[in-house]
């Protein structure tokens, strides 16, 4: 998700690089300026939660050891795309929970800061910044931060970078509840720090049994300092989608917890809308003509409740959709289903939905890169590129997946 006006988005790759460079260069000055008014910017950096706890008199405990995940090669058009091979096997780092006395969470990007004033880089790294350059964090462009709201007792952190996005809220933020459950050495918090401004966030919190009196809305209170900040690590440092996260979410959110949905399954197309430079499908009318002939139903995820989005994908035989948060619910697909992910021309984004699909039992994955575009891979450019679907190639993929539609409505 790129927060720029539609007509400015094509410049995002250049603006992003310029902004992160400028932030890194400005950070020493903004840190000094911050000292003139509260001194709320981090003054140092620690790499891990363990270091943050050790340096502030807190403590930490291991919730999950490191684990290696192997994934079979993805199939699609163009065949044998190199970006998938690059992530076919990954080591997912260990996950820790830490108690940080006097710890803070600051800003819309949810930077965690220890009681000593150190940025805890492990749980604060921001998209598109260099992992070895924590001073590129956008927080350092804002020296004059509001004072923190003081919170007594134990405050747990669910909020994380990108949590205004449905994918990141569901896959990064909420599984931190499971991490706490997997770490009995650390007592649970009394309240949670979590964004609750969006409808989908409130719906998901309710589905997890969290009441409004059990959370502090990170959108309304952008800076907090807790007597004891309880910080579960993120499920994975990047969008690796560990299989246990998918199991956790399926068990908690699927109807009856087993993926069963009454009635025959149907093929669905997830529309992304018509907003310019946002991975919209330019020739959607042509695509819909093909899909309608094959019995597909159009679903607009943004117009549905979370429960209805989950039901739609749980009851799908085939899911077709452009790369975007609407595909997150593919994790709820039933055994024998398939997903076809559409990408801008020349670009295949190897993260998110392919790795997510590999953790769903019996789910078949295909990708389709669009027509035209540069063959040079650029993640930031792909985020703001629209998609022209090769309809003949899509038809070929659907022909290959036809046996999976045998139980669909015609």
């Amino acid at each position: 998700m790129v927060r720029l006006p539609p007509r400015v988005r094509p410049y995002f790759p250049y603006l992003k690089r310029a902004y992160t460079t400028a932030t890194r260069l400005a950070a020493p000055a903004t840190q000094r300026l911050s000292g003139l008014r509260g001194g709320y910017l981090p003054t140092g950096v620690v790499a891990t939660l363990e270091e943050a706890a050790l340096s502030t008199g807190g403590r930490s405990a291991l919730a999950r050891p490191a684990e290696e995940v192997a994934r079979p090669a993805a199939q699609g058009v163009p065949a044998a795309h190199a970006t998938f091979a690059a992530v076919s096997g990954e080591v997912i780092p260990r996950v820790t929970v830490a108690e940080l006395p006097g710890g803070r969470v600051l800003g819309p990007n949810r930077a965690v800061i220890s009681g000593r004033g150190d940025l805890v880089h492990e749980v604060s790294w921001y998209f598109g910044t260099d992992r070895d350059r924590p001073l590129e964090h956008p927080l350092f462009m804002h020296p004059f931060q509001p004072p923190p709201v003081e919170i007594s007792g134990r405050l747990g952190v669910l909020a994380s970078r990108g949590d205004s996005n449905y994918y990141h809220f569901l896959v990064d933020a909420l599984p931190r509840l499971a991490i706490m459950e997997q770490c009995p050495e650390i007592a649970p918090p009394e309240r949670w720090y979590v964004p609750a401004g969006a409808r989908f966030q409130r719906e998901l919190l309710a589905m997890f049994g969290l009441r409004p009196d059990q959370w502090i809305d990170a959108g309304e209170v952008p800076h907090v300092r807790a007597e004891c900040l309880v910080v579960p690590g993120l499920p994975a440092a990047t969008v690796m989608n560990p299989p246990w996260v998918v199991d956790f979410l399926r068990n908690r959110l699927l109807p009856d917890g087993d993926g069963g949905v009454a009635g025959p399954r149907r093929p669905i197309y997830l529309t992304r809308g018509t907003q310019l430079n946002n991975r919209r499908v330019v020739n959607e009318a042509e695509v819909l003509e093909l899909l309608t002939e094959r019995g597909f139903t159009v679903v607009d995820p943004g117009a549905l409740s979370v429960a209805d989005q989950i039901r739609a994908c749980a009851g799908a035989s085939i899911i077709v959709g452009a790369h975007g948060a609407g595909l997150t619910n593919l994790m709820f697909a039933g055994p024998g289903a398939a997903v076809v992910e559409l990408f801008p021309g020349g670009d295949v984004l190897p993260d998110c939905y392919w790795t997510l699909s590999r953790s769903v039992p019996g789910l078949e994955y295909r990708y389709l890169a669009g027509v035209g575009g540069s063959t040079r891979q650029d993640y930031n450019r792909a985020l703001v590129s629209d998609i022209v679907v090769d309809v003949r190639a899509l038809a070929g993929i659907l022909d290959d997946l036809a046996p999976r539609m045998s139980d669909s409505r015609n």
Side-chain angles (χ1 to χ4, degrees):
M1 182 171 60
V2 177
R3 297 183 180 281
L4 287 173
R7 295 195 177 278
V8 180
R9 286 177 188 156
Y11 303 102
F12 172 70
Y14 314 104
L15 295 173
K16 180 69 174 181
R17 286 193 290 269
Y19 187 85
T20 54
T21 300
T23 302
R24 183 178 73 251
L25 296 175
T30 59
Q31 287 173 309
R32 290 192 295 271
L33 284 172
S34 177
L36 301 176
R37 193 184 300 173
Y40 297 125
L41 282 188
T43 53
V45 177
V46 291
T48 67
L49 285 166
E50 289 92 339
E51 292 176 66
L54 184 64
S55 64
T56 58
R59 66 177 185 139
S60 62
L62 181 68
R64 296 189 63 85
E67 54 190 307
E68 187 169 356
V69 176
R71 300 183 177 95
Q75 298 181 51
V77 178
H81 202 285
T83 54
F84 288 104
V87 290
S88 60
E90 296 181 298
V91 175
I92 297 173
R94 62 90 189 93
V95 184
T96 299
V97 179
E99 295 176 326
L100 304 181
R104 294 185 285 136
V105 185
L106 174 58
N109 301 316
R110 323 304 187 200
V112 174
I113 303 169
S114 75
R116 198 177 68 169
D118 293 324
L119 179 73
V120 186
H121 191 43
E122 173 185 1
V123 289
S124 302
W125 169 79
Y126 195 68
F127 308 109
T129 62
D130 192 312
R131 290 186 175 278
D132 297 325
R133 293 173 172 173
L135 294 185
E136 290 182 346
H137 194 287
L139 180 70
F140 291 103
M141 273 298 195
H142 305 279
F144 302 124
Q145 297 287 345
V149 173
E150 303 289 344
I151 307 296
S152 61
R154 298 168 62 80
L155 180 67
V157 180
L158 293 184
S160 63
R161 81 279 189 274
D163 58 21
S164 61
N165 175 274
Y166 182 80
Y167 168 87
H168 290 291
F169 185 76
L170 185 57
V171 178
D172 291 343
L174 290 177
R176 298 175 102 170
L177 293 167
I179 290 168
M180 284 301 307
E181 294 171 0
Q182 296 166 25
C183 190
E185 296 90 338
I186 302 291
E190 294 144 8
R191 287 185 289 177
W192 292 100
Y193 185 65
V194 59
R199 186 185 77 170
F200 75 81
Q201 293 167 339
R202 295 189 298 274
E203 289 176 351
L204 280 165
L205 290 171
M207 293 169 80
F208 274 87
L210 293 178
R211 306 183 310 271
D213 64 328
Q214 295 176 296
W215 74 63
I216 294 173
D217 188 343
E220 294 182 354
V221 186
H223 189 187
V224 293
R225 176 161 48 208
E227 184 178 351
C228 180
L229 192 70
V230 181
V231 188
L234 294 168
T238 57
V239 284
M240 297 176 181
N241 295 310
W244 74 263
V245 169
V246 174
D247 291 342
F248 167 71
L249 294 171
R250 285 174 65 90
N251 289 336
R252 294 294 180 94
L253 298 176
L254 268 173
D256 302 321
D258 65 357
V261 174
R265 292 191 290 169
R266 61 180 182 173
I268 63 172
Y269 170 70
L270 303 179
T271 181
R272 192 165 166 80
T274 59
Q275 194 175 82
L276 190 67
N277 299 320
N278 193 44
R279 278 163 283 129
R280 66 180 177 123
V281 175
V282 176
N283 59 333
E284 190 167 63
E286 188 180 3
V287 170
L288 289 178
E289 183 179 357
L290 168 71
L291 297 181
T292 301
E293 291 174 352
R294 293 172 181 249
F296 278 74
T297 299
V298 178
V299 173
D300 180 358
L304 301 178
S305 69
V306 171
D308 285 342
Q309 291 183 58
I310 291 173
R311 287 191 198 98
C313 287
S317 56
I318 298 180
I319 303 166
V320 175
H323 177 90
L327 281 175
T328 305
N329 293 307
L330 67 82
M331 77 171 76
F332 302 112
V339 60
V340 181
E341 184 174 9
L342 308 175
F343 292 101
D347 290 291
V348 174
L349 311 179
D351 52 22
C352 291
Y353 306 110
W354 173 55
T355 54
L356 197 64
S357 73
R358 295 301 83 201
S359 300
V360 180
L363 181 64
E364 187 75 16
Y365 175 91
R366 297 286 191 275
Y367 63 85
L368 173 60
V371 176
S374 170
T375 57
R376 182 173 61 87
Q377 297 300 300
D378 186 320
Y379 181 86
N380 289 329
R381 187 189 66 246
L383 288 176
V384 294
S385 296
D386 290 331
I387 301 170
V388 178
V389 175
D390 183 335
V391 176
R392 290 183 62 184
L394 177 58
I397 291 174
L398 295 177
D399 288 342
D400 184 48
L401 297 173
R404 295 173 181 267
M405 296 178 62
S406 60
D407 189 32
S408 65
R409 295 182 182 137
N410 295 316

